[in-house]
Amino acid sequence: MGDPADDLRDPVRAAGDLAQDAAMSGTITVVGIGADGMAGLSRASRDELASATVVYGAPRQLELLDDSVTRDRREWPSPMLPALPTLFDEAGAESDVHVVASGDPLLHGIGATLIRLFGVQRVRVLPHVSSVTLACARMGWTVPDTEVISLVTAAPHTAVRRGGRAIVLSRDGQTPATLARLLSESGRGDSQLTVLQQLGGPGERRYDGTAAQWATTGPTDVDDLNVVAVAYLPDERRAQALPDEAFAHDGQLTKQSIRAVTLAALGPRPGELLWDIGSGSGSIAIEWSRSAPGCAAVAFERDEQRRDRIVGNVTAFGVRVEVRGAAPEALDGAPEPAAIFIGGGVTQPGLLQACYDRLPSGGRLVANAVTVESEAFVAQWYSKEGGELRRYQHYQGGAVGGFTGWRPALPVTQWSVVKR
């Protein structure tokens, strides 16, 4: 539930540099508006729009304006992002322009995009009550305890969770049914879904049901302007180092204890991207992507069945992981990583070198070795590039007759390095 510019945070950085160079001095005033239109606006917002000479916005928001607002109303171009840096030039560098946006323009909206493009000094925002606040009020949920997920541009599976509650901003009227199907397929069919459409307006309407019900017999007349309040059930939330059985796998899996020390060595930070080489089940990529806000990964896996299994695991955890074929061939064209993990194929000719070459200065690389050959290989790289070399050995207690004994797992040699 928002503008076409919703959730456009990352792609605008390069365009923003261009716009800052333009040094335009006119003010851009962004006015938030709800489904109740002009009647729901504050006096300050109504006065601001009445003084406008040109107003930009999506068709849905522009149609909410009355005759007190200028007739020079311009729809956003498509595609929007490439046009934004110079879109307002025709109004004149010194001219003020107005933008009308859905709800709170700084909540997954065009307001944040314009501030990154033109700077906070040039952009003024007059927010309306957001759809998230209205939805929480209808549900009786506290806003700080409710996650906000935008599917306006993101893939639907990124709204799948293992528990908790969220307000999901829909792309269109099909979003609730799509989300319900994904939740049902990932064992979350008991999740409670409430679809709230046209919030705050005369056409406001509410639908309640479970994900399983929505996936089979849900309403077919949901308005495009909707949000979904989700209580995810069963609640199986857990932080990092998930149990091995949480992942579908064929045995090709970085085990829980080694996964924990591997994530510690990789050191994920908010917004960073990981390359997971020889991904197997995708466990490292998934744990990385769950570790901090904005984290994502690219999983490289040679085996087609394992790639399909990774996709299933990624969907079940609602994380942002792109799945590609074998490295090093599939490395070309992948977005630049902040860190690389090599969990398989480290002795493959040219693989480690290709990964190291593509790692930016300051990036981290971690390689795990379990065979004598791969251990010798990473030891050579350690001698050449430095870093840290560790060896992990863990034991599992098990029955030995009527007693308990220790059964050793394969030792793992780990090389970690920060590229100079």
Side-chain angles (χ1 to χ4, degrees):
M1 181 176 179
D3 290 344
D6 285 356
D7 210 24
L8 298 176
R9 289 163 287 180
D10 291 335
V12 303
R13 291 173 183 163
D17 294 338
L18 295 174
Q20 295 286 2
D21 292 342
M24 297 173 67
S25 57
T27 299
I28 301 171
T29 301
V30 188
V31 179
I33 192 170
D36 51 355
M38 298 288 291
L41 294 181
S42 66
R43 173 60 65 87
S45 292
R46 289 198 302 270
D47 290 347
E48 191 62 48
L49 287 173
S51 69
T53 56
V54 58
V55 179
Y56 291 85
R60 187 170 61 216
Q61 276 73 54
L62 292 176
E63 289 171 1
L64 294 172
L65 304 180
D66 63 19
D67 292 339
S68 67
V69 183
T70 177
R71 303 305 301 175
D72 191 356
R73 305 172 186 179
R74 306 179 188 180
E75 295 181 10
W76 295 120
S78 181
M80 180 196 295
L81 277 181
L84 273 179
T86 58
L87 181 64
F88 306 130
D89 288 359
E90 57 191 87
E94 303 297 325
S95 300
D96 295 339
V97 296
H98 288 73
V99 171
V100 62
S102 176
D104 184 350
L106 293 177
L107 183 66
H108 293 282
I110 187 64
T113 303
L114 293 173
I115 287 173
R116 277 188 293 274
L117 279 169
F118 299 105
V120 67
Q121 293 79 15
R122 189 171 177 225
V123 180
R124 177 178 173 229
V125 178
L126 300 178
H128 190 63
V129 178
S130 72
S131 58
V132 171
T133 299
L134 288 172
C136 285
R138 303 295 188 268
M139 300 300 297
W141 293 353
T142 54
V143 176
D145 299 317
T146 304
E147 185 179 3
V148 180
I149 305 170
S150 174
L151 295 185
V152 174
T153 59
H157 82 269
T158 58
V160 175
R161 295 292 183 271
R162 311 291 284 191
R165 63 193 188 195
I167 301 298
V168 179
L169 310 181
S170 294
R171 178 179 302 178
D172 53 36
Q174 300 303 312
T175 299
T178 300
L179 178 57
R181 176 178 54 79
L182 289 171
L183 288 169
S184 295
E185 292 173 352
S186 62
R188 297 290 178 275
D190 290 337
S191 297
Q192 299 291 321
L193 269 63
T194 298
V195 178
L196 301 160
Q197 67 179 41
Q198 292 286 337
L199 271 169
E204 181 173 329
R205 191 172 179 183
R206 171 175 178 156
Y207 303 94
D208 294 278
T210 66
Q213 292 168 342
W214 272 87
T216 55
T217 59
T220 58
D221 59 345
V222 178
D223 190 83
D224 285 342
L225 192 65
N226 76 84
V227 302
V228 188
V230 189
Y232 297 95
L233 297 172
D235 194 335
E236 299 173 336
R237 285 175 290 177
R238 184 166 173 169
Q240 283 67 50
L242 296 166
D244 295 342
E245 58 268 22
F247 303 96
H249 64 91
D250 59 359
Q252 197 70 15
L253 172 80
T254 302
K255 301 302 190 291
Q256 183 185 38
S257 56
I258 299 301
R259 200 181 324 124
V261 295
T262 298
L263 266 293
L266 286 167
R269 303 164 189 167
E272 288 190 327
L273 180 77
L274 171 77
W275 283 3
D276 182 4
I277 310 294
S279 191
S281 66
S283 63
I284 292 291
I286 290 168
E287 294 262 30
W288 168 283
S289 300
R290 297 173 68 248
S291 66
C295 281
V298 182
F300 299 88
E301 173 54 51
R302 182 178 303 277
D303 185 89
E304 183 177 358
Q305 288 187 332
R306 288 174 180 162
R307 289 199 298 271
D308 291 340
R309 195 173 289 115
I310 293 170
V311 171
N313 285 329
V314 165
T315 300
F317 282 97
V319 291
R320 293 190 298 136
V321 177
E322 178 188 352
V323 181
R324 291 189 166 217
E329 297 85 358
L331 299 180
D332 291 340
E336 182 179 84
I340 298 176
F341 170 64
I342 305 177
V346 69
T347 59
Q348 180 183 340
L351 174 62
L352 204 158
Q353 185 68 60
C355 290
Y356 196 79
D357 289 345
R358 287 167 171 79
L359 191 68
S361 177
R364 292 99 66 198
L365 186 145
V366 176
N368 286 356
V370 295
T371 66
V372 172
E373 291 79 8
S374 59
E375 184 179 79
F377 195 77
V378 297
Q380 291 175 358
W381 274 83
Y382 167 69
S383 298
K384 181 176 65 170
E385 299 294 343
E388 295 191 29
L389 198 63
R390 302 182 180 94
R391 199 172 199 229
Y392 297 101
Q393 174 74 74
H394 68 280
Y395 297 80
Q396 183 75 36
V400 179
F403 298 91
T404 301
W406 293 109
R407 301 186 184 279
L410 288 173
V412 176
T413 298
Q414 183 182 91
W415 174 53
S416 59
V417 67
V418 176
K419 187 174 180 180
R420 295 186 290 271

